[in-house]
């Protein structure tokens, strides 16, 4: 039998705004609610989700995780 080969993942150039993709699984009703709420506010879904995550991190006193990640990124660049 022929040996299966792995396809190389297409690398995409980094975004100018520094964002990178992430995949999270949610129940379909939550996905629909995000889509509807973001459309009602003239936003893209990713903007709505990003704002919700920022708010949740701040509300749960977990913003230090963001600060730690920023510090780690800066030390990698140096």
């Amino acid at each position: 039998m022929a040996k299966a080969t792995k396809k190389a993942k297409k690398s995409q150039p980094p975004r100018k705004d520094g964002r990178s993709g992430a995949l999270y699984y949610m129940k379909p009703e939550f996905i629909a609610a995000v889509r509807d709420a973001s459309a009602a506010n003239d936003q893209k879904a990713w903007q709505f989700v990003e704002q919700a995550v920022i708010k949740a991190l701040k509300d749960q006193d977990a913003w230090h995780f963001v600060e730690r990640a920023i510090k780690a990124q800066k030390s990698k660049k140096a």
Side-chain angles (χ1 to χ4, degrees):
M1 281 197 205
K3 189 175 180 181
T5 59
K6 290 184 180 180
K7 290 185 178 180
K9 201 175 195 181
K10 291 182 182 178
S11 87
Q12 295 188 359
R15 290 176 51 109
K16 292 178 183 175
D17 61 11
R19 288 183 172 84
S20 61
L23 175 65
Y24 297 98
Y25 292 90
M26 296 190 305
K27 292 182 179 182
E29 57 269 21
F30 297 147
I31 295 170
V34 166
R35 182 187 60 233
D36 295 343
S38 63
N41 291 308
D42 294 325
Q43 293 178 305
K44 302 215 182 279
W46 69 265
Q47 292 169 321
F48 181 87
V49 172
E50 185 177 68
Q51 289 175 356
V53 168
I54 290 168
K55 182 178 182 329
L57 288 168
K58 288 180 178 179
D59 289 351
Q60 295 179 22
D61 292 327
W63 193 252
H64 62 280
F65 292 120
V66 175
E67 292 167 344
R68 184 174 68 185
I70 292 169
K71 189 181 286 187
Q73 278 183 335
K74 286 182 180 177
S75 66
K76 282 184 183 178
K77 289 181 180 179

